[in-house]
Amino acid sequence: MRPCFMKFCRLLCFAFSTPFYLLRVIGLRGMYKRVFPFLAYNVTFSYNDKTHKLKRELFRNLGRFANADGTLRLLEIGCGSGANFRFYPYGCTVICTDPNPHMEPYLRMSMEANEHLTYDEVLVLSGEDMTGVEDGSVDVVVCTLVLCSVDNVGRVLQEARRILRSGGALYFLEHVVSDPSTWTYFCQYVFEPLWCLLGDGCMVTRATWRDLEAAGFAELHLKHTEAPEVSLMIRPHIMGYSIK
């Protein structure tokens, strides 16, 4: 994209973002942290319906990473309201993490609706710092629609790699920035500040595949795709898994 066009995008970003940074200063951001879980829980149903085939494809070979006795220990980063539980195999033990403590009531509802799983801990922590989880202690780490909103993508991936056992896998499904030649790309840069505010820090201009390529996993199986029927802003997706 031409430099003058990029400057125009940045000016629009600044114009949109200034009022929202002021909202943070006066404390409304903290209030939204309490409201966001309710919104996320309800949006989950729509997103799952639209991406059902993608998630089924993504998680179809989770059993490959089970132990010799058939057990599978899985940690989900930013599990939110438990949108992925229905796609996990029977008997899987799930450790839930999320930085927002107000998510837990909605998470518990998803646990009750997915009795085919065993639930271990619910940890309130960020993906960048999972020091409460031991090195090499899980078979699978799942990260969906999370890397768009973390402060440091590289650090999250290093933490995921640390807690995975050798031969374990990180599964991901993330929306990413569009191709620079598209109108989607233009819209993502212009409206990102507003989207970020309403989406609890969600960024739509991240090239997350580059972070995955640089994360140091032994294998990376990554696919670029389009999520059907979702907002144009988050339609470009990547999906796949990395093996430690």
Side-chain angles (χ1 to χ4, degrees), residues 13-14 24 39 42-43 52 54 56 94 107 121 137 179 188 218 236 238:
C13 285
F14 178 77
R24 288 191 181 192
L39 301 175
N42 286 280
V43 168
H52 182 81
L54 288 181
R56 287 292 297 271
V94 180
L107 180 62
E121 299 176 276
S137 60
D179 185 276
Q188 286 175 327
I238 56 170

Side-chain angles (χ1 to χ4, degrees), residues 8-72:
F8 175 67
C9 288
R10 293 191 188 102
L11 286 172
L12 286 176
C13 285
F14 178 77
F16 272 107
S17 63
T18 301
F20 303 121
Y21 287 125
L22 292 176
L23 289 181
R24 288 191 181 192
V25 172
I26 63 177
L28 293 183
R29 184 64 174 167
M31 184 183 300
Y32 186 66
K33 283 285 188 181
R34 293 178 174 272
V35 176
F36 181 76
F38 170 77
L39 301 175
Y41 178 73
N42 286 280
V43 168
T44 290
F45 298 107
S46 174
Y47 182 82
N48 263 2
D49 286 342
K50 293 172 181 176
T51 60
H52 182 81
K53 289 184 179 179
L54 288 181
K55 287 193 174 185
R56 287 292 297 271
E57 179 185 350
L58 174 65
F59 295 124
R60 73 185 187 281
N61 67 341
L62 267 177
R64 168 187 173 185
F65 299 99
N67 294 289
D69 60 0
T71 60
L72 180 67

Side-chain angles (χ1 to χ4, degrees), residues 125-138:
L125 46 75
S126 70
E128 289 94 342
D129 184 8
M130 296 188 288
T131 51
V133 183
E134 294 181 6
D135 294 5
S137 60
V138 298

Side-chain angles (χ1 to χ4, degrees), residues 65-102:
F65 299 99
N67 294 289
D69 60 0
T71 60
L72 180 67
R73 189 169 172 82
L74 180 153
L75 181 143
E76 183 168 351
I77 300 174
C79 61
S81 59
N84 293 323
F85 291 170
R86 61 189 288 193
F87 300 98
Y88 296 158
Y90 181 87
C92 174
T93 298
V94 180
I95 303 167
C96 303
T97 74
D98 199 280
N100 190 337
H102 306 297

Side-chain angles (χ1 to χ4, degrees), residues 65-234:
F65 299 99
N67 294 289
D69 60 0
T71 60
L72 180 67
R73 189 169 172 82
L74 180 153
L75 181 143
E76 183 168 351
I77 300 174
C79 61
S81 59
N84 293 323
F85 291 170
R86 61 189 288 193
F87 300 98
Y88 296 158
Y90 181 87
C92 174
T93 298
V94 180
I95 303 167
C96 303
T97 74
D98 199 280
N100 190 337
H102 306 297
M103 280 287 188
E104 188 163 348
Y106 304 97
L107 180 62
R108 296 293 179 185
M109 285 192 279
S110 291
M111 288 177 171
E112 293 173 5
N114 290 276
E115 296 181 347
H116 67 290
L117 303 176
T118 299
Y119 301 98
D120 196 335
E121 299 176 276
V122 177
L123 304 173
V124 179
L125 46 75
S126 70
E128 289 94 342
D129 184 8
M130 296 188 288
T131 51
V133 183
E134 294 181 6
D135 294 5
S137 60
V138 298
D139 305 303
V140 169
V141 173
V142 172
C143 189
T144 66
L145 300 187
V146 169
L147 298 179
C148 57
S149 58
V150 298
D151 292 331
N152 189 322
V153 176
R155 180 59 184 163
V156 173
L157 296 177
Q158 289 307 309
E159 279 289 271
R161 188 165 168 265
R162 176 185 66 80
I163 65 176
L164 278 170
R165 64 167 172 81
S166 179
L170 164 69
Y171 280 74
F172 54 87
L173 176 66
E174 299 286 340
H175 64 80
V176 293
V177 67
S178 186
D179 185 276
S181 64
T182 65
W183 276 105
T184 301
Y185 182 87
F186 170 77
C187 292
Q188 286 175 327
Y189 271 91
V190 170
F191 296 108
E192 180 171 73
L194 175 60
W195 188 276
C196 182
L197 178 83
L198 299 178
D200 197 27
C202 174
M203 308 289 287
V204 293
T205 59
R206 288 185 172 174
T208 309
W209 65 89
R210 294 174 184 163
D211 298 287
L212 286 158
E213 290 168 351
F217 284 88
E219 296 180 32
L220 173 60
H221 302 266
L222 185 148
K223 173 183 176 182
H224 287 261
T225 188
E226 296 276 322
E229 300 180 43
V230 302
S231 167
L232 184 70
M233 294 281 284
I234 60 168

